[in-house]
Amino acid sequence: MAGDDTFENLGKKIRALAKVNEEIIQILESQIRNNTQVIAGYDYQLNYSLPQNSDIATTSVADNSAEKFGFSAIPNRQYVKNLLHEWKYSGEALEKPDDIFNDKIDYNLKSYHNVKELIFFLPKVAEKFLTIARECPKVCKILRIFLSNLERLQVALGELNALTVDKDDDISNDEKFFDGLETITKCFHDMVKQKLRTASLNITGRYGVGY
């Protein structure tokens, strides 16, 4: 055999990937033990009242600040532990290789618990092939399955790790958002000024993002 499919190269890739996966899972487990919290999303609140038309003349409709619109972003903090245990895998299923050593591994990947178990057991079984078996097409085929499964586990770890990072507040500094609010209030301002004697405008809202 030649290239990346050689017994030796497959072994190097499996061991390297297993090491990285183990390091990532240790970081996640550390955050669970430390009861780490992250910002999982935000509650956005909006509370704005356009003044009665007697006061409109003194109202600056050009001011589209968050303060003017009574806008606030309240971080929603969650325990990493809860986020990890609520996570569900939605990627490609793992492939089950021939169970030559009768290890009886469960290759179902659905939860964080499954990820932890597979990261622990898969490298151990692969190491049996690398230590005991001889290079041949069948063994290399099985090793490629182990490598593919470890790669899919790393994708799952990427999703899990993303849950441990504070979410960004993408709205509070979004000029287009406040420009849109300004457009609404300005249109109402102009309508009141031209057509109506008395009128009022109240805008209230609450919206959760990221959880």
Side-chain angles (χ1 to χ4, degrees):
M1 293 185 180
D4 292 340
D5 279 342
T6 64
F7 184 87
E8 181 181 0
N9 285 342
L10 287 169
K12 289 179 180 179
K13 289 183 178 182
I14 287 172
R15 286 166 177 153
L17 195 54
K19 184 176 184 293
V20 173
N21 287 352
E22 176 63 25
E23 290 171 352
I24 296 173
I25 204 72
Q26 287 179 1
I27 293 172
L28 297 179
E29 285 294 290
S30 174
Q31 291 178 310
I32 290 176
R33 289 193 301 271
N34 294 331
N35 285 323
T36 302
Q37 288 186 317
V38 295
I39 298 175
Y42 293 86
D43 280 324
Y44 292 106
Q45 296 185 4
L46 180 69
N47 188 9
Y48 173 72
S49 296
L50 187 71
Q52 293 288 339
N53 56 340
S54 59
D55 298 325
I56 286 178
T58 62
T59 301
S60 173
V61 296
D63 178 12
N64 62 347
S65 66
E67 182 179 356
K68 169 187 173 179
F69 291 108
F71 182 86
S72 61
I74 304 170
N76 182 284
R77 298 184 181 277
Q78 299 282 337
Y79 285 103
V80 167
K81 173 177 61 178
N82 294 337
L83 295 174
L84 295 181
H85 289 305
E86 291 170 1
W87 171 86
K88 299 297 181 185
Y89 180 68
S90 59
E92 292 184 83
L94 301 192
E95 186 177 351
K96 185 176 181 179
D98 293 339
D99 192 10
I100 294 176
F101 297 107
N102 197 32
D103 293 288
K104 297 181 180 178
I105 292 178
D106 183 0
Y107 285 85
N108 288 314
L109 177 54
K110 297 179 180 179
S111 66
Y112 177 66
H113 176 73
N114 296 143
V115 171
K116 284 200 305 179
E117 286 196 334
L118 288 163
I119 284 176
F120 178 79
F121 286 113
L122 288 193
K124 293 184 179 300
V125 179
E127 197 62 38
K128 291 181 182 180
F129 283 94
L130 294 168
T131 304
I132 300 172
R134 295 181 179 180
E135 182 170 2
C136 68
K138 181 177 181 179
V139 170
C140 286
K141 179 181 178 181
I142 292 174
L143 290 176
R144 282 194 294 273
I145 292 174
F146 277 107
L147 180 61
S148 176
N149 285 340
L150 288 171
E151 289 171 343
R152 292 173 189 179
L153 281 173
Q154 191 165 80
V155 172
L157 285 170
E159 294 180 8
L160 289 162
N161 188 63
L163 296 175
T164 70
V165 179
D166 287 339
K167 294 291 188 297
D168 292 330
D169 173 11
D170 295 325
I171 296 182
S172 294
N173 296 315
D174 186 349
E175 293 183 3
K176 290 183 179 180
F177 174 75
F178 290 104
D179 286 346
L181 289 177
E182 184 62 31
T183 298
I184 293 173
T185 56
K186 185 178 185 303
C187 288
F188 190 85
H189 171 277
D190 292 342
M191 179 182 68
V192 169
K193 185 177 180 180
Q194 296 175 13
K195 301 291 184 181
L196 304 175
R197 293 184 178 180
T198 61
S200 63
L201 174 66
N202 295 301
I203 302 175
T204 61
R206 181 171 180 172
Y207 183 56
V209 175
Y211 59 94

